[in-house]
Amino acid sequence: MCGIIGYCGDKAARPILLDGLKRLEYRGYDSAGLAVADQGKLAVVRAVGKVSDLEKKGIARPLPGHFGIAHTRWATHGRPSEENAHPHCDCRMEIAIVHNGIIENYLDLKEELLAKGHAFRSETDSEVIAHLIEESYDGDLEKAMLRAVQRLEGTFGIAAIHAGSDRQVVIVRRGSPIIIGIGNNEFFAASDAGALLPYTQKVISLNDDEMAVLHPAGYHIKNLNNEFLQKEIEIRETRDDLADKKGYEHFMLKEIFEQPEAIENAFRGRLIENEGVSKLGGLEPVLERLKNVKKLVIVSCGTSYYAGLCGRYIFESLSELHVEVDVASEFRYRKLKMDANTAVLALSQSGETADTIAAIREAKRKGALILGVVNVVGSAIAQITDAGVYNHAGPEYGVASTKIYTSQLVVLTLMALLIGRYQGLSFTEGSALIQAIKKLPRQVKKILTDIEHIKKIAQEYAQYKDFLFIGRQLNYPTAMEGALKLKEISYIHAEGYPAGEMKHGPISLIDENFPTVAVVSQDSTFDKMLSNIQEIKARNGRVLAVASEGSSRIADACDDVIWVPETLPLLQPVLNIVPLQLFAYFIARSKGCDIDKPRNLAKAVTVE
Ligand code: AGP
């Protein structure tokens, strides 16, 4: 959610920290700040708003120094304000810390520290860390950090500096990712390797309860028992996508247009056509166990949850599995029986979502096989699952997820095909599915050529303040996801509903000011969807349909139609969501919204 970057070396720290913050800004962006140390003094600049606001402030006050830390914040404790922005300092303004995560016992610690005479300047939970370090500091920041974190409950990724130390940055992790970047006589700390792209590919990821001390001359890593650790250096891919929107006005639009490629990447090399089955290398280590799985529980949040809802229909149709889908944050409140024949499948674009991680931990405790579908290679969820599949969709910077969603749908279909072929699905059925999957990129491209028509319709609908999105079966999660896209980026109220539920309540909202977006496919739900549309029309509601090409009955019944190519019903959600992404995009654009960084949201939601 929040982003951290730290630097120590021979170069000026400030430009490196600012550049890193810009790369991290998509994760959280209500305020930002940096601290640089020079000649035994700490200089701290913080600003409400974007990193560009911090940059303007920083220019007014140049900060020399060759080591420092910086942070971009997404508020949890305390409103977005300059005082609440990180870094936070001790009473003497010698120690500065930045923190991702939540300190759950901060009120107790704060009370204790206040009683000892510490003066607090913010409403945050994070500030206690600076004062705890101060309490333990006797000239050695590493030792003081070690003592301080023993007192913390909750989750943290922390970077700290002391003005009096010679270019030393100390980092520690429990629950919130933090990595070391290795340069030439310089070291970096970051919550996300993307922040380090221009500087180094060499990184070391810390695990929970590990800390590291960085200095231009070298680094060492310890666990919280103060024992030295040796860790492998990983080489991360360098693709500086953030620097380049490739001519698109927004990352979201670029990522919508990247879907044909992202879908192809999801199935490339994973289809065995002459056997009518898929091959997923990441699942091979658990294949024997997977063949005997009886129950599958999908856990995820937001857009990934809607992919999971589609997944339920896909797995139920292709395999014998009993499938349940849970919003990850609700999973721990269920009394679900699990055993070695249960698999829990976590879906996550970022691989960092705290709610999903908590659900995985709960499922592990109950002995289930834990699987993941994750886009970010090496992310926390990828590390804690027993086996999984990467999307390989490339980085997604728009906060509203688009290409990862369609990629998730394809990967889920491949997983269901793999398991289904062990559980009775025929070669013919498997082959038909494979042929349909292979056509998807071309079909998405076709939808994308219709962009002017979708834009025109979006402009006509941009005046409305409320929307209902409806669909049945696989189009029900599509309706939910279409509504989510619209509310996320345009701030328009939109409700996604199973169409059959409309008559049980929401229909009372319908009038000429409350339009409906109906997602309709040429499948067994068609006639019932048509009836629901008639019910809306009878109440003067305007209806926009997203429908499979060529149905004159839909064209006659609705006010407006966006046509999509037809595929197998199981794959239709991959196509049907694309116009809805564009619909939301063009409405948000016509309202002048900050599409890539919608208010109050963050790309990786690392708090519960
Ligand atoms: C998607 O548009 C949202 N920004 C959000 O719902 C997101 O899908 C959710 O937070 C889950 O994230 P994850 O896939 O990274 O776990």
Side-chain angles (χ1 to χ4, degrees), residues 305-315 405 409 412 474 477-478 573:
Y305 171 65
Y306 299 136
L309 283 181
C310 284
R312 178 169 63 195
Y313 295 104
I314 296 169
F315 277 101
Y405 177 71
L409 296 179
L412 286 170
L474 283 131
T478 307

Side-chain angles (χ1 to χ4, degrees), residues 172-183:
V172 61
R173 167 183 170 152
R174 180 182 295 157
S176 281
I178 193 147
I179 59 164
I180 305 167
I182 300 170

Side-chain angles (χ1 to χ4, degrees), residues 301-304 347-350 353 399-401 484-485 488 605:
C301 308
T303 289
S304 295
L347 302 179
S348 177
Q349 173 278 132
S350 61
T353 306
V399 164
S401 185
L484 181 70
K485 287 287 88 81
E488 274 189 300
V605 185

Side-chain angles (χ1 to χ4, degrees), residues 11 56 136 192 232 308 365 462 522:
K11 298 184 187 127
K56 280 180 215 140
S136 305
D192 176 340
E232 295 257 314
R365 204 170 293 128
Q522 296 285 355

